Amino acid sequence: MDIMIDQVFMQEAIKQAKLAYENDEVPIGAVVVFENKIIARAYNQVELLKDATAHAEMLALTQAMAFIGSKWLHKCSLYVTLEPCSMCAGAMVLARLQRMVFAASDPKAGACGSILNISNHKQLNHRFEVSSGILDKECGYLLSQFFLSKRKKPVISE
Protein backbone atom coordinates (compact mmCIF):
# COMPACT_ATOMS: atom_id res chain seq x y z
CA MET A 1 0.00 0.00 0.00
CA ASP A 2 0.96 3.59 -0.50
CA ILE A 3 2.67 5.23 2.50
CA MET A 4 0.57 8.37 2.03
CA ILE A 5 -2.65 6.33 2.28
CA ASP A 6 -1.27 4.57 5.36
CA GLN A 7 -0.60 7.97 6.95
CA VAL A 8 -4.15 9.16 6.24
CA PHE A 9 -5.69 6.10 7.88
CA MET A 10 -3.21 6.21 10.79
CA GLN A 11 -4.25 9.83 11.42
CA GLU A 12 -7.80 8.51 11.86
CA ALA A 13 -6.54 5.93 14.35
CA ILE A 14 -4.72 8.74 16.19
CA LYS A 15 -8.01 10.65 16.46
CA GLN A 16 -9.44 7.60 18.20
CA ALA A 17 -6.40 7.40 20.50
CA LYS A 18 -6.97 11.03 21.47
CA LEU A 19 -10.58 10.19 22.38
CA ALA A 20 -9.23 7.43 24.63
CA TYR A 21 -6.86 9.94 26.25
CA GLU A 22 -9.73 12.37 26.86
CA ASN A 23 -11.65 9.53 28.53
CA ASP A 24 -8.70 8.62 30.78
CA GLU A 25 -8.01 5.40 28.88
CA VAL A 26 -4.62 4.30 27.59
CA PRO A 27 -4.51 6.26 24.30
CA ILE A 28 -4.71 3.56 21.68
CA GLY A 29 -6.95 3.92 18.66
CA ALA A 30 -7.80 1.69 15.72
CA VAL A 31 -9.65 1.82 12.43
CA VAL A 32 -10.54 -0.95 9.99
CA VAL A 33 -10.45 -0.20 6.27
CA PHE A 34 -12.30 -2.07 3.51
CA GLU A 35 -12.06 -0.96 -0.12
CA ASN A 36 -10.30 2.27 0.97
CA LYS A 37 -13.13 3.23 3.31
CA ILE A 38 -13.14 3.19 7.09
CA ILE A 39 -15.78 0.72 8.26
CA ALA A 40 -14.93 0.66 11.97
CA ARG A 41 -13.41 3.04 14.52
CA ALA A 42 -12.58 2.33 18.14
CA TYR A 43 -10.41 3.29 21.07
CA ASN A 44 -9.46 1.54 24.28
CA GLN A 45 -12.39 1.23 26.68
CA VAL A 46 -10.91 -1.09 29.28
CA GLU A 47 -11.61 1.25 32.21
CA LEU A 48 -15.03 2.39 31.02
CA LEU A 49 -16.33 -1.13 30.40
CA LYS A 50 -14.32 -2.76 33.23
CA ASP A 51 -13.26 -5.30 30.61
CA ALA A 52 -9.65 -6.34 30.07
CA THR A 53 -10.53 -7.37 26.49
CA ALA A 54 -11.93 -3.96 25.46
CA HIS A 55 -8.82 -3.02 23.48
CA ALA A 56 -9.23 -0.70 20.51
CA GLU A 57 -8.36 -3.48 18.08
CA MET A 58 -10.89 -5.94 19.52
CA LEU A 59 -13.69 -3.36 19.43
CA ALA A 60 -12.81 -2.31 15.88
CA LEU A 61 -12.65 -5.93 14.65
CA THR A 62 -16.10 -6.62 16.13
CA GLN A 63 -17.55 -3.54 14.43
CA ALA A 64 -15.94 -4.46 11.10
CA MET A 65 -17.30 -8.02 11.17
CA ALA A 66 -20.77 -6.66 11.92
CA PHE A 67 -20.45 -4.17 9.05
CA ILE A 68 -19.34 -6.83 6.55
CA GLY A 69 -21.70 -9.45 7.94
CA SER A 70 -19.00 -12.09 8.18
CA LYS A 71 -16.50 -13.46 10.68
CA TRP A 72 -13.81 -13.09 8.00
CA LEU A 73 -12.02 -9.84 7.20
CA HIS A 74 -10.10 -11.17 4.16
CA LYS A 75 -9.93 -7.85 2.31
CA CYS A 76 -9.55 -5.56 5.33
CA SER A 77 -6.68 -3.66 6.89
CA LEU A 78 -6.50 -2.57 10.51
CA TYR A 79 -4.56 0.55 11.53
CA VAL A 80 -3.62 0.84 15.20
CA THR A 81 -1.46 3.30 17.10
CA LEU A 82 0.42 0.69 19.16
CA GLU A 83 1.68 -2.77 18.25
CA PRO A 84 -1.05 -5.28 19.17
CA CYS A 85 -0.78 -7.61 22.15
CA SER A 86 -1.12 -11.39 21.84
CA MET A 87 -4.90 -11.31 22.39
CA CYS A 88 -5.47 -8.75 19.63
CA ALA A 89 -3.01 -10.36 17.20
CA GLY A 90 -4.68 -13.71 17.82
CA ALA A 91 -8.08 -12.21 17.06
CA MET A 92 -6.67 -10.83 13.79
CA VAL A 93 -5.52 -14.32 12.83
CA LEU A 94 -8.94 -15.77 13.67
CA ALA A 95 -10.68 -13.02 11.66
CA ARG A 96 -8.40 -13.71 8.67
CA LEU A 97 -7.35 -10.07 8.49
CA GLN A 98 -5.40 -9.23 5.33
CA ARG A 99 -3.12 -6.51 6.68
CA MET A 100 -2.33 -4.65 9.89
CA VAL A 101 -0.43 -1.39 10.21
CA PHE A 102 0.82 -0.18 13.57
CA ALA A 103 2.60 3.00 14.57
CA ALA A 104 4.68 2.50 17.73
CA SER A 105 6.31 -0.78 18.74
CA ASP A 106 5.50 -2.24 22.15
CA PRO A 107 8.65 -3.75 23.69
CA LYS A 108 6.69 -5.03 26.72
CA ALA A 109 3.67 -6.71 25.13
CA GLY A 110 3.97 -6.47 21.34
CA ALA A 111 2.94 -9.66 19.55
CA CYS A 112 3.60 -8.64 15.94
CA GLY A 113 7.37 -8.68 16.06
CA SER A 114 8.58 -7.22 19.35
CA ILE A 115 8.16 -10.10 21.81
CA LEU A 116 6.20 -12.62 19.75
CA ASN A 117 5.18 -12.74 16.13
CA ILE A 118 1.68 -14.14 16.06
CA SER A 119 0.95 -12.31 12.81
CA ASN A 120 3.37 -14.47 10.86
CA HIS A 121 3.64 -17.67 12.91
CA LYS A 122 4.22 -20.61 10.57
CA GLN A 123 2.19 -23.04 12.68
CA LEU A 124 -0.97 -20.94 12.63
CA ASN A 125 -3.52 -21.42 9.86
CA HIS A 126 -3.50 -17.77 8.77
CA ARG A 127 -0.89 -15.06 8.49
CA PHE A 128 -1.35 -11.39 7.71
CA GLU A 129 0.87 -8.67 6.33
CA VAL A 130 2.30 -6.23 8.89
CA SER A 131 3.67 -2.74 8.34
CA SER A 132 5.01 -0.62 11.16
CA GLY A 133 6.45 2.76 12.04
CA ILE A 134 3.74 4.87 10.36
CA LEU A 135 3.54 8.07 12.48
CA ASP A 136 5.26 6.19 15.31
CA LYS A 137 6.76 9.29 16.94
CA GLU A 138 3.38 11.01 17.25
CA CYS A 139 1.77 7.89 18.71
CA GLY A 140 4.68 7.19 21.04
CA TYR A 141 4.56 10.77 22.30
CA LEU A 142 0.83 10.53 23.03
CA LEU A 143 1.39 7.33 25.03
CA SER A 144 4.37 8.71 26.94
CA GLN A 145 2.46 11.90 27.82
CA PHE A 146 -0.46 9.85 29.11
CA PHE A 147 1.72 7.75 31.42
CA LEU A 148 3.75 10.79 32.49
CA SER A 149 0.51 12.53 33.55
CA LYS A 150 -0.47 9.43 35.53
CA ARG A 151 2.83 9.43 37.42
CA LYS A 152 2.58 13.14 38.28
CA LYS A 153 -0.81 12.95 40.00
CA PRO A 154 -0.53 13.31 43.76
CA VAL A 155 -1.43 10.28 45.83
CA ILE A 156 -4.21 10.99 48.31
CA SER A 157 -3.97 8.89 51.42
CA GLU A 158 -6.93 8.19 53.66
Side-chain angles (χ1 to χ4, degrees):
M1 245 199 164
D2 184 320
I3 191 142
M4 296 293 284
I5 292 171
D6 283 347
Q7 288 177 344
V8 168
F9 289 130
M10 189 60 74
Q11 283 291 352
E12 293 301 315
I14 291 169
K15 288 178 186 175
Q16 293 298 304
K18 288 178 179 176
L19 288 172
Y21 195 113
E22 290 168 14
N23 286 287
D24 205 29
E25 296 276 356
V26 176
I28 300 170
V31 298
V32 178
V33 174
F34 174 68
E35 296 180 347
N36 280 328
K37 293 183 183 110
I38 295 173
I39 62 168
R41 299 169 192 268
Y43 58 86
N44 269 11
Q45 295 182 40
V46 172
E47 302 302 326
L48 173 71
L49 299 175
K50 309 282 187 267
D51 180 353
T53 69
H55 291 192
E57 303 97 316
M58 298 296 286
L59 298 171
L61 289 171
T62 299
Q63 287 175 29
M65 288 181 264
F67 179 88
I68 290 182
S70 173
K71 63 184 177 181
W72 307 129
L73 299 175
H74 292 292
K75 296 179 181 178
C76 293
S77 297
L78 184 141
Y79 291 79
V80 62
T81 56
L82 183 67
E83 180 181 359
C85 69
S86 57
M87 172 185 67
C88 294
M92 291 173 206
V93 169
L94 294 174
R96 308 295 192 264
L97 189 72
Q98 180 178 3
R99 181 170 185 253
M100 188 271 301
V101 180
F102 69 87
S105 295
D106 186 349
K108 293 184 179 179
C112 292
S114 288
I115 294 178
L116 302 169
N117 195 348
I118 291 172
S119 58
N120 200 12
H121 196 287
K122 289 180 170 96
Q123 289 180 292
L124 295 175
N125 63 348
H126 177 75
R127 288 171 281 292
F128 54 90
E129 180 187 339
V130 175
S131 298
S132 63
I134 305 295
L135 302 178
D136 58 331
K137 290 184 181 18
E138 186 174 346
C139 295
Y141 179 77
L142 188 61
L143 284 157
S144 63
Q145 289 302 110
F146 176 79
F147 288 113
L148 185 62
S149 74
K150 290 292 180 193
R151 287 191 292 271
K152 287 185 174 180
K153 288 187 177 178
V155 177
I156 300 169
S157 57
E158 295 180 31

